[in-house]
Amino acid sequence: MKHAAIRWVTLALMLLPAAAYAAGQAADEAVGVTWDLGDLYPSVEAWSASYAKTRAQAEQLDHLKGSLGKDAQSMHKALATISDVRREAARLAVYANLQGDEDMRVAAAQERRQQAQALQTLIDEKTAWVAPEVITIGQAKVEGFLAGDADLRRRFDFFLKDTLRRAPHTLSPEGEAVLAASGNVLSQPNSVYQELAAAELPYPTIGLSDGQKVRLDQAAYTKHRSAASRADRKAVFDAFWGAWKGYQGTVGANLTTQNMGDVFTAKARRFDSALEAALFADNMPPEVYRTLVAQTNAALPTLHRYLRLRKRLLGIGDELAYYDNYPTLFPGTSVPRFSVAESERITLAALAPMGDEYLGLLRRGFAGRWMNALPHQGKHAGAYMNGSAYGVHPYLLLNHNDDYESLSTLAHEWGHAVHTMLTDANQPYEKSEYSTFIAESASIGNEMLLNDYMVEHAKTREEKLYYLGQGLESIRQTFFRQVMFAEFQLQMHQELEQGAPLSGERLTDTYCKLLRRYYGEAEGVMKIDPLYCTEWEYIPHFYYGFYVYQYATSMAGAAEFTDAILKEGAPARDRFINLLKAGGSDYAYSLYKRAGIDMATPAPYQALVARMNRVLDQIEALQAAH
């Protein structure tokens, strides 16, 4: 999906009765918490008409084959025709996906989602000849066309140069068509996982200490894993991971199939490894991945410092357990509640260092009906921004529960939305697909500024401690946890590439070793129960390729940018906003360097660790002064 920045957040779902939702819908619309898909298409019938027209156009795209090398004007006309079809297909997909996520029980909406996905695959098949043809034309002729045609250069120079860079890994037209056609098959492991996790896994029901009975589906697990009662937390973990444990073999085979698909695609494109293939797409130096992992492992003593503080604050007398990671460090704190409107107001205040241009775009977005903000039955869980409808505006799905996490999530997703608006205002459609590597820096930077603002403006010592604790936990989950996931992904792929067999049991053993290292079992920091080592089964990101490491790099980049903006003011802010405006006009690593940050060096990762240590220092100082 075109620059659709997806972030799955762990919000507790308030499952409202359908009648209650219907009764409140008009009121919701009045306060701007439901989106208006009419900005995309006025009706389902209009969507269907556009779909039929676009599919017919897509069927003809292979007729352009052989026209690219005639002259610059012919190349521009052919590429523009393809781009226009892709742009409308992306708009169709946005509508289908958003409508499907409004209520996932509506079969017709899910069928439109499948139609949109099939259209994307058809376009890929019908344009599989483009890259081989560009490469056959050759660098000298392509550069001559670019020099002589300003429109071709403005829209397609980056695409053409990147295509030539990919020459060693581009197949014949027939080979490219086969790989494009394999897309639906290679996406099936994720579909299997989603079906099992969302619909068919028999989640257990347990009794909690307050007498309530809870069916531990994913939303309930997320809610109750942070229970104040340690016995409840253990019961939740034992039951939830026990249920997943029963499917260890099945999920292991499914995830192995996903990884086999990654390895197959990498080999087909003549890469030495799946990691090399994944980094190549962004022209990312391998040093970035290696530096990230090395710096994270070097920073484990800071994570362990946090975990020891957690043990002390929670009053745990025996060994800290994995189920002790989620309860708030400061229970009993009276934290304000935040409606959607209040969250918008606070976000604007917190992001004041970003300047008038940024805040103006935020205000414009808040004034529109771009969000589906409140939870209800059948709605997609979590939160995301979808910015793929170029020329319209971004859309945001939230499940706002009026708590601080919901406030932080709103600030995060609007970071993606403003990034999209800045990119679309400054780049043509063909250069609007920005990298995840940059996307998450925009949103996590918002979270950091928000957290700093909440700490500074807290009305009580207890409230200040609460926000500091939330900031610490964000770093654990977005940085350390994601790098641990990245190490797990790399080990899985490497074992397959070396000819070793994988099984659910083997994956659990691999994951267990990582958990023990990251959480300091040998150092006496935390004891890991082997049952909880089945957690890998539950993580959807393992079906997205080498994706998770970019959360961690983005958080590190955001930490360095945030520090610079608060210290330098306008110069650092302008470098950051120019990075967002650049969109996909260059490679992410190069854009970062242009903005003053080299992600292949230790500096950004050390900036994040320094931030974590500063927060720990603040908490300890407040505790000592009490």
Side-chain angles (χ1 to χ4, degrees):
M1 191 181 296
K2 195 162 185 69
H3 63 69
I6 305 296
R7 184 199 187 211
W8 304 114
V9 291
T10 51
L11 297 181
L13 296 179
M14 300 189 304
L15 298 178
L16 304 179
Y21 171 65
Q25 192 167 12
D28 291 346
E29 290 174 358
V31 297
V33 295
T34 59
W35 54 35
D36 181 7
L37 300 187
D39 293 345
L40 293 162
Y41 299 97
S43 64
V44 169
E45 292 74 21
W47 183 92
S48 298
S50 178
Y51 177 85
K53 179 181 177 181
T54 306
R55 185 174 179 88
Q57 291 171 336
E59 291 281 6
Q60 302 300 312
L61 291 178
D62 53 354
H63 293 178
L64 297 169
K65 187 176 180 180
S67 66
L68 299 183
K70 292 180 181 177
D71 51 49
Q73 291 71 34
S74 297
M75 176 177 277
H76 179 260
K77 182 179 180 181
L79 292 180
T81 299
I82 294 168
S83 183
D84 291 347
V85 172
R86 286 194 178 278
R87 178 172 169 175
E88 186 62 21
R91 185 167 176 159
L92 288 162
V94 171
Y95 183 93
N97 285 315
L98 297 180
Q99 191 184 61
D101 285 348
E102 288 178 344
D103 191 337
M104 298 183 72
R105 301 166 297 182
V106 178
Q110 305 313 315
E111 289 166 6
R112 279 189 288 277
R113 193 199 303 267
Q114 292 176 21
Q115 285 180 279
Q117 182 178 346
L119 177 59
Q120 302 275 5
T121 300
L122 173 66
I123 294 170
D124 289 344
E125 292 175 16
K126 292 292 185 176
T127 59
W129 54 271
V130 172
E133 187 164 315
V134 169
I135 290 165
T136 300
I137 293 169
Q139 182 172 346
K141 194 171 183 180
V142 168
E143 289 182 349
F145 286 174
L146 288 170
D149 191 310
D151 289 336
L152 179 68
R153 188 167 59 250
R154 181 181 66 85
R155 293 178 65 179
F156 297 107
D157 60 345
F158 182 73
F159 163 76
L160 290 166
K161 291 174 183 178
D162 188 55
T163 299
L164 292 168
R165 180 183 70 90
R166 294 168 182 259
H169 306 289
T170 301
L171 310 182
S172 67
E174 294 77 15
E176 289 293 330
V178 169
L179 275 187
S182 71
N184 285 337
V185 175
L186 294 178
S187 68
Q188 287 311 298
N190 183 38
S191 299
V192 171
Y193 164 80
Q194 295 291 346
E195 186 68 25
L196 176 65
E200 295 189 350
L201 193 142
Y203 289 111
T205 298
I206 65 169
L208 299 178
S209 58
D210 61 1
Q212 68 172 309
K213 297 287 185 181
V214 175
R215 179 179 177 269
L216 285 177
D217 58 12
Q218 294 187 68
Y221 161 73
T222 298
K223 178 179 180 180
H224 293 290
R225 68 185 178 182
S226 59
S229 165
R230 198 174 188 219
D232 283 350
R233 297 199 298 270
K234 185 177 188 307
V236 166
F237 268 59
D238 288 350
F240 189 75
W241 298 122
W244 278 99
K245 180 74 171 179
Y247 291 82
Q248 176 181 265
T250 299
V251 181
N254 190 53
L255 185 53
T256 298
T257 304
Q258 170 69 40
N259 295 333
M260 285 178 170
D262 296 339
V263 172
F264 160 75
T265 303
K267 286 183 176 178
R269 292 203 174 281
R270 300 186 286 270
F271 288 102
D272 291 335
S273 68
L275 177 62
E276 183 190 356
L279 297 180
F280 183 84
D282 259 347
N283 200 18
M284 190 66 60
E287 290 78 13
V288 171
Y289 204 97
R290 288 197 288 266
T291 303
L292 167 68
V293 172
Q295 288 296 311
T296 305
N297 278 270
L300 287 179
T302 297
L303 173 62
H304 297 166
R305 179 189 175 193
Y306 164 50
L307 294 172
R308 289 189 176 98
L309 174 69
R310 171 169 283 278
K311 178 180 178 179
R312 186 166 70 251
L313 291 174
L314 294 180
I316 295 170
D318 55 357
E319 293 176 314
L320 190 69
Y322 197 50
Y323 52 75
D324 294 319
N325 274 320
Y326 294 99
T328 176
L329 292 177
F330 302 101
T333 302
S334 178
V335 179
R337 306 295 290 174
F338 310 99
S339 66
V340 173
E342 185 69 5
S343 295
E344 291 177 349
R345 185 193 67 75
I346 293 171
T347 296
L348 283 168
L351 300 184
M354 296 302 295
D356 292 340
E357 181 179 14
Y358 193 97
L359 295 179
L361 292 173
L362 260 184
R363 291 189 182 95
R364 176 186 159 204
F366 288 163
R369 285 183 53 198
W370 300 2
M371 279 193 298
N372 188 318
L374 302 179
H376 60 80
Q377 276 189 344
K379 181 181 174 182
H380 195 295
Y384 62 71
M385 186 284 305
N386 190 323
S388 298
Y390 184 91
V392 184
H393 57 72
Y395 281 89
L396 298 90
L397 180 141
L398 306 175
N399 279 281
H400 198 89
N401 281 333
D402 293 354
D403 54 10
Y404 175 72
E405 186 172 8
S406 297
L407 164 61
S408 185
T409 297
L410 183 143
H412 178 108
E413 299 305 338
W414 277 100
H416 289 313
V418 174
H419 187 182
T420 296
M421 287 189 275
L422 286 167
T423 293
D424 288 3
N426 289 277
Q427 301 297 334
Y429 169 70
E430 295 77 17
K431 298 178 183 179
S432 66
E433 187 174 358
Y434 50 73
S435 168
T436 302
F437 196 86
I438 292 175
E440 293 300 327
S441 284
S443 53
I444 295 171
N446 276 12
E447 286 189 75
M448 288 179 171
L449 288 171
L450 172 68
N451 189 254
D452 289 345
Y453 177 88
M454 300 305 283
V455 170
E456 183 180 350
H457 291 82
K459 294 182 175 62
T460 65
R461 170 185 168 278
E462 289 71 24
E463 198 176 310
K464 187 183 294 284
L465 284 168
Y466 173 81
Y467 294 129
L468 289 168
Q470 293 295 110
L472 281 179
E473 183 57 13
S474 175
I475 296 174
R476 180 188 76 84
Q477 292 207 48
T478 307
F479 186 71
F480 288 101
R481 182 171 162 85
Q482 301 303 323
V483 179
M484 185 183 74
F485 288 168
E487 284 203 59
F488 180 66
Q489 279 193 301
L490 183 57
Q491 288 184 35
M492 285 190 291
H493 287 85
Q494 286 177 337
E495 293 214 8
L496 282 176
E497 287 162 349
Q498 293 162 7
L502 287 183
S503 65
E505 184 176 346
R506 189 182 182 97
L507 293 175
T508 296
D509 181 63
T510 299
Y511 195 81
C512 226
K513 289 174 181 174
L514 285 166
L515 276 180
R516 287 169 176 152
R517 171 155 56 85
Y518 270 74
Y519 288 88
E521 185 170 273
E523 292 81 8
V525 178
M526 179 181 285
K527 182 69 175 177
I528 301 296
D529 188 323
L531 176 62
Y532 309 155
C533 296
T534 60
E535 185 181 46
W536 61 268
E537 295 183 61
Y538 164 76
I539 308 301
H541 298 76
F542 294 150
Y543 296 89
Y544 304 162
F546 285 89
Y547 177 84
V548 293
Y549 86 97
Q550 296 174 100
Y551 283 114
T553 52
S554 291
M555 188 172 218
E560 192 165 351
F561 273 126
T562 301
D563 285 353
I565 289 169
L566 294 176
K567 289 174 185 174
E568 299 177 36
R573 180 194 68 215
D574 292 345
R575 291 198 303 272
F576 183 56
I577 289 181
N578 286 336
L579 170 72
L580 304 185
K581 289 179 177 178
S585 61
D586 202 347
Y587 302 110
Y589 177 73
S590 301
L591 291 174
Y592 257 109
K593 286 194 73 173
R594 198 179 303 163
I597 294 180
D598 187 344
M599 298 300 296
T601 66
Y605 312 105
Q606 291 173 354
L608 180 60
V609 176
R611 179 184 180 88
M612 191 174 192
N613 278 307
R614 286 198 304 271
V615 174
L616 285 163
D617 291 342
Q618 286 178 274
I619 290 176
E620 290 174 352
L622 286 168
Q623 291 291 103
H626 185 59

